[in-house]
Amino acid sequence: MSTTDITLTAVEDSETTPLTPGQIFRQRLFGHTGFLIGASIILAIVVVAIFAPLIAPHDPYVQSLSTRMLPPVWSEGGSWEHLLGTDQNGRDYLSRLIYGTRVSITIGIGAATVGLMIGVTLGVMAGYFGGWIDHAISFLLTAQLALPGLLLAMALVFIIGPSIWVVIGIVGVLHWTYYLVVTRAATQRIRNLDFVAAAKASGASSRQIIWHEILPNLASSIIVIFTFELGIAILAESSLSFLGVGIQPPIPSWGLMIAEGKQAMFYRPWLVVLPGICLFLLVIGANLMGDGLRDITSPEGRNE
Amino acid sequence: MSLLDIQNLDVTLALPNGPLKAVRDVTLTLEPGESLGIVGESGSGKSMTALALMRLLPRSATCEAEALRFDGQELRDLGDPAFARQIAGPRIGMIFQEPMTSLNPVYTIGRQMTEATVARGLLSEAEARRKAIDLLDRVGIPDPEGRMNQFPHQMSGGQRQRVMIAMTLMLDPELLIADEPTTALDVTVQAQILDLLDDLRRERGMGLILISHDLAVVAERTDRVAVMYLGEMVEQGTAQEVLYHPQHDYTKALLAAIPRLDGPARVPAQEAAAPEVEKVISATNLCREFHSRKGLFGPKKTVRALDDVSLELRRGETLAVIGESGSGKSTLARILLGLDLPDAGDVRMLGRPVLDLPGAERASLVQPVFQDPYTSLNPRRRLSEIISRPLVLRGEGDSASRLAAVKDAMEKVRLPGRLIHAYPSQLSGGQRQRVAIARALITEPEALICDEPTSALDVSVQAQILELLDDLRAKMGLTCLIITHDMAVVHEIADRVAVMYQGRVVEEGSASAVLDHPSNDYTARLLAAAPRFGATRDLEVVQ
Amino acid sequence: MLRYIALRAALALAVAFTVSLAAFLLLNVAGDPAQAIAGEDATPDVIEAIRDRYGLDRPLPVRYFDWLGGVLQGDFGTSYYWHKPVAELVADRADETITLALSALSVTIIIALPLGALAALNPNSWIDRFALGVAVSAQAVPNFWLGLIMIILFGVMMPIFPVSGDSTWKHFVLPAFVLGASSVPAVMRLTRTGLIEVMGADYIRTARSKGFRGWPLLRRHAMRNALLPVISVLAVQLGQKFGGSVITESIFAINGLGRLALESILGMDIPTVQMLIFVFAIVFVAMNLLADILNAALDPRIRIG
């Protein structure tokens, strides 16, 4: 057989080693327009949030009765002093919008992280251990899905008393199902793969298998969900604040600013339109990033 | 006039990293009533050729040809609607590899069988139904009338493939293309389906194209054979010519690589034959039942996977456990590896009950090699991490000594050292299986348990992996239990063999004795079903 | 089949009561309801009086089973705020919300199903990109903001539809659009991926090899299979429409359950909040049950195990 071996192995041992998963990932990342747009938006907003005090032209909290409800610079009566005009308390709208990034980003990341902790823990447990643990967690999932989330969040924030941390906690506690569904299914699939059996046969404990074999394989889907949940949490916070049971005045939350501008929206529409556009941009950035990451990391996009 | 005449067919796939020519310059002809086998490994373009003819190519693929004539008619002149109306179905029928998914799960067998004839207005509902029942009867489906109202999930894989065949025959095609029709089926079922296809062809004077990765299977049942390799047709000729006088190097290599029952017998491990040799693993009276329910509240089903199985593995021998899917052989492997516990019975390793052994110690006694090299390696880890993992789990050595051990193991399994920091996705199937073997060897276990170690690999790679395992046994005195469905693998590598059927060991003995003089009916059937070249030989075995 | 439905129904009821228990616990443990009813600067005496009057001083399990006992007899308690039986209050306002939810679901179906199907049948075409664009944007638009923009557009610039109230069908056009739009991304994406998956399935290839193509192929082979997951997601979305009515109803001044929910939360009317959560949960599980039954009827793999 030695004479013909060469022909057969020629395909197997081609000298050009294929790229590592990391290299392929980076290549795809920079080739995905949607992801690049989303990531740039998020990056820009995060930079604005971090450097808000340097960028904002005015103090977002300083009220001034003499400059109430000034229109933006492009409208009649607008001035360069207040680029996007002022609100009903005479505060500079641009500065409030800039500081609003901090509220949205903090709550988005915070709540998405809280949800991640709960959802991934439950999902991996249900998927890995199966049996009655899985049944119990699946029941919990069905119950959570049946809960009218917004209603309960409103009631809880109202009872506990609104603050950023309460909003983060409650939005997070009510948004873990997506993580659970995905990590449970993925864990069930991975648990039955042979490399887990190989680890068991080498004497690995459940904890070692979960940390070393399973979680690394969940990482990409968890990141994808995190990006989507970021957007969902930001929208949830803005809804709560809009309804008056979220962030409280005078903190500049975009949802709250829309609620404050609502009374005057027919003749001062920018008070409602501008914060909405900010929210839209932030959330669409997160969603584009999530969509892109999902495209890039989905199995059918992989090497084989 | 030829029934089918394909001249210089090219199929190009648009992949993210550039176009790939999946089929290049393929030319083939088929006379009416003739059967042609197309053979090649995965990715050779054999299926693409058939799909191109049937206009079933994936969206990303384009095809070009100088001529695509069917019964003298140039198919390229037909628009898609005309092709669907005139050719696909009534003139060329096709059956596929996966009988489990090729039938629509939400409609009855009857509806799926009759719809094409009725939709074309060829037969009335009642006539179509009668014809369908006749055809189901012809392809060997018991109670064809009752089956008409059943759904695909209520049938076995072999039955579904029979239904698929009957369904294509509803339109009485002049050419039937069978794309790996038996690959997903058990060996004994495979032979029946292939014989059925051949009988039907003769009965109806149909042309038949049989596509397969298995040269032996194809050569046994077709008039002519074409061999494809990397998108090109490297050889074409009568079955006899290709089998006994292959022209192309690739065909020669392919033939040499096929595990065969009539090849030269291997030298058995001498010392293993003696029963007083130490038993590495002994299993006595193992029983294992599985209870499954569909959904949370579905009715309970009990499957008896192992029924009073006793087995021993002696030092230095290679024991093959052979059986078809559902015979319980994989459950046995899981129990011997400590991945599953028997309901009753006892497993001892070097005389000690396996239940008393801590995981790490068990790992140093027995290690697994699994079937599918694509799932047996963690895709997120580098080879160095994967291979050294058993050492890390045992807390053995420091990083330097572990690295040395990894290099040593990679050398043993003949993996190039430059791959040490590669990820599994960068490796071929054969290389991955070598990695799995290296990982199993690194703790220097007493025994390897290999569950179908070659059945997910291409034929040429299969031979290399078997050779490697046999080499390791010879050089290191490795004890090996190989689970397989393939009699030829037994012949190539095993000293002893145990045949499993429906959870029981029905026959056990030295490999040569069992292969030459099977005492059990089922073993004889398995042997008869195994493809081989010397057609004379299988008659001897059956009788 | 009957056994399947019975078990599903039992599970649905169990879920609904679990939800009511969870809501009860959260509402009572998270803070002091008496304090919340009395307001920030109430004296201890006032709080004590409230506690006494509403029986909030009794232990939690007693109060829950008291509530549960009432529910089983159709008595959901009396509103702290409106001083009427809660069940009556909810019954009075249910019509508006049911109308709103159903018309919102119709909007979702009319937009999402055709768009998703067209995108799936022409992957990477302009229609696919357009559908994806619609999904991504609709997902990012805050629902309440979309409502306000509609009011600005239709209230001032193009007064075709009324923007406030619930007296005629015209009043429901804008709210239904706003509430329905929020479900478009999920339903559209699922329709698209489901149909793409089905069109790539082996049995579709089989049907093609028998000469089926175009509309007959879709109708006879792809539609039912692709519809199965869509039915489930539509049920989930309809269930969520009730909870989602809070925002839409308050913006468009529709006097339905959503608005009742907001008012009772701001008035700390715990019996009403408790009942609304229970009702919404029941609606949700009932819709899912319905979807399960429909799926079982359409899919023999569920019907005949």
Side-chain angles (χ1 to χ4, degrees), chain B residues 49-81:
Chain B
T49 307
L51 293 175
L53 176 63
M54 289 298 280
R55 303 200 184 177
L56 293 174
L57 285 172
R59 250 168 213 280
S60 60
T62 50
C63 86
E64 270 175 61
E66 273 173 27
L68 265 184
R69 273 191 289 273
F70 182 79
D71 202 13
Q73 187 183 14
E74 177 53 67
L75 296 182
R76 289 177 305 157
D77 298 342
L78 288 177
D80 283 346

Side-chain angles (χ1 to χ4, degrees), chain B residues 338-365:
Chain B
L339 298 175
D340 193 6
L341 294 175
D343 299 326
D346 176 40
V347 180
R348 286 167 181 270
M349 290 182 183
L350 292 177
R352 294 166 61 193
V354 75
L355 286 175
D356 297 351
L357 292 171
E361 204 171 324
R362 191 189 65 223
S364 66
L365 290 174

Side-chain angles (χ1 to χ4, degrees), chain B residues 244-522:
Chain B
Y244 296 108
H245 307 287
Q247 299 301 308
H248 195 273
D249 278 351
Y250 174 73
T251 321
K252 289 178 189 164
L254 201 61
L255 279 168
I258 295 175
R260 48 204 292 183
L261 283 170
D262 50 355
R266 65 186 276 284
V267 187
Q270 292 296 332
E271 62 272 46
E276 63 271 19
V277 169
E278 193 183 4
K279 294 162 191 161
V280 179
I281 301 178
S282 61
T284 37
N285 309 108
L286 293 180
C287 290
R288 182 77 175 99
E289 285 186 349
F290 289 107
H291 309 282
S292 67
R293 355 179 92 178
K294 282 205 165 149
L296 192 52
F297 306 109
K300 247 189 187 173
K301 273 189 185 168
T302 301
V303 179
R304 179 159 280 221
L306 289 184
D307 187 2
D308 198 22
V309 169
S310 298
L311 202 72
E312 54 191 40
L313 185 61
R314 302 169 194 158
R315 186 181 294 282
E317 75 169 349
T318 299
L319 170 68
V321 173
I322 186 164
E324 297 182 275
S325 59
S327 63
K329 58 192 197 314
S330 290
T331 309
L332 179 67
R334 292 182 58 81
I335 288 176
L336 294 182
L337 283 165
L339 298 175
D340 193 6
L341 294 175
D343 299 326
D346 176 40
V347 180
R348 286 167 181 270
M349 290 182 183
L350 292 177
R352 294 166 61 193
V354 75
L355 286 175
D356 297 351
L357 292 171
E361 204 171 324
R362 191 189 65 223
S364 66
L365 290 174
V366 45
Q367 278 287 308
V369 175
F370 294 105
Q371 171 175 9
D372 184 356
Y374 288 86
T375 62
S376 67
L377 308 176
N378 188 338
R380 295 279 160 198
R381 301 277 172 199
R382 294 172 186 276
L383 294 203
S384 50
E385 292 173 285
I386 292 173
I387 299 175
S388 65
R389 186 70 187 159
L391 293 179
V392 176
L393 285 169
R394 299 205 314 174
E396 221 172 79
D398 51 23
S399 57
S401 75
R402 285 200 289 257
L403 194 66
V406 168
K407 284 184 177 152
D408 183 47
M410 285 176 71
E411 209 165 295
K412 271 186 199 151
V413 300
R414 291 176 230 145
L415 268 175
R418 67 186 159 79
L419 292 176
I420 192 161
H421 296 303
Y423 286 92
S425 63
Q426 298 171 280
L427 271 55
S428 68
Q431 286 176 328
R432 292 180 201 210
Q433 202 59 304
R434 287 171 196 269
V435 174
I437 297 172
R439 171 179 60 193
L441 290 177
I442 201 158
T443 53
E444 299 177 344
E446 297 288 334
L448 284 194
I449 293 185
C450 310
D451 188 357
E452 301 261 13
T454 59
S455 58
L457 303 173
D458 275 335
V459 188
S460 54
V461 187
Q462 278 182 22
Q464 295 170 16
I465 296 291
L466 286 181
E467 208 181 72
L468 173 67
L469 285 171
D470 208 31
D471 250 31
L472 289 170
R473 181 196 57 95
K475 283 191 195 136
M476 303 170 56
L478 194 68
T479 312
C480 212
L481 185 142
I482 291 192
I483 287 176
T484 179
H485 67 278
D486 190 347
M487 271 293 176
V489 169
V490 176
H491 176 82
E492 294 261 305
I493 191 170
D495 300 308
R496 285 196 309 130
V497 57
V499 183
M500 286 194 72
Y501 182 59
Q502 295 188 343
R504 292 171 160 272
V505 173
V506 293
E507 180 159 8
E508 196 182 348
S510 81
S512 53
V514 172
L515 289 183
D516 290 342
H517 309 285
S519 61
N520 180 281
D521 241 23
Y522 176 71

Side-chain angles (χ1 to χ4, degrees), chain B residues 109-146:
Chain B
I109 301 296
R111 175 184 155 147
Q112 295 188 58
M113 289 211 42
T114 55
E115 63 177 356
T117 31
V118 175
R120 286 165 190 278
L122 298 174
L123 295 175
S124 72
E125 283 278 358
E127 286 166 340
R129 203 179 147 76
R130 249 193 320 273
K131 183 171 184 181
I133 293 172
D134 284 349
L135 278 170
L136 283 179
D137 192 41
R138 173 61 194 92
V139 299
I141 299 275
D143 181 25
E145 261 196 278

Side-chain angles (χ1 to χ4, degrees), chain B residues 51 54 56 59 80-81 84 88-89 92 94 96 98 101-107 111-112 115-116 119-120 151 153-154 164 167 171 294 296-299, chain C residues 3 7-8 11 120-123 201-213 219-225 228 298-305:
Chain B
L51 293 175
M54 289 298 280
L56 293 174
R59 250 168 213 280
D80 283 346
I92 311 179
M94 186 160 179
F96 303 93
E98 287 297 335
T101 51
S102 289
L103 291 168
N104 195 324
V106 303
Y107 296 117
R111 175 184 155 147
Q112 295 188 58
E115 63 177 356
R120 286 165 190 278
F151 291 94
H153 75 274
Q154 295 168 291
M164 277 293 293
M167 194 163 83
L171 291 164
K294 282 205 165 149
L296 192 52
F297 306 109
Chain C
R3 179 183 149 84
L7 287 164
R8 285 275 139 189
L11 184 69
L121 296 176
N122 307 286
D202 289 347
Y203 53 80
I204 291 295
R205 192 177 55 183
T206 305
R208 279 188 208 276
S209 78
K210 290 193 285 184
F212 282 99
R213 63 191 302 283
R219 186 173 54 82
R220 296 187 66 93
H221 281 278
M223 204 131 84
R224 200 195 275 196
N225 305 64
L228 293 172
L298 290 175
D299 189 344
R301 286 166 297 181
I302 303 175
R303 197 167 67 231
I304 314 162

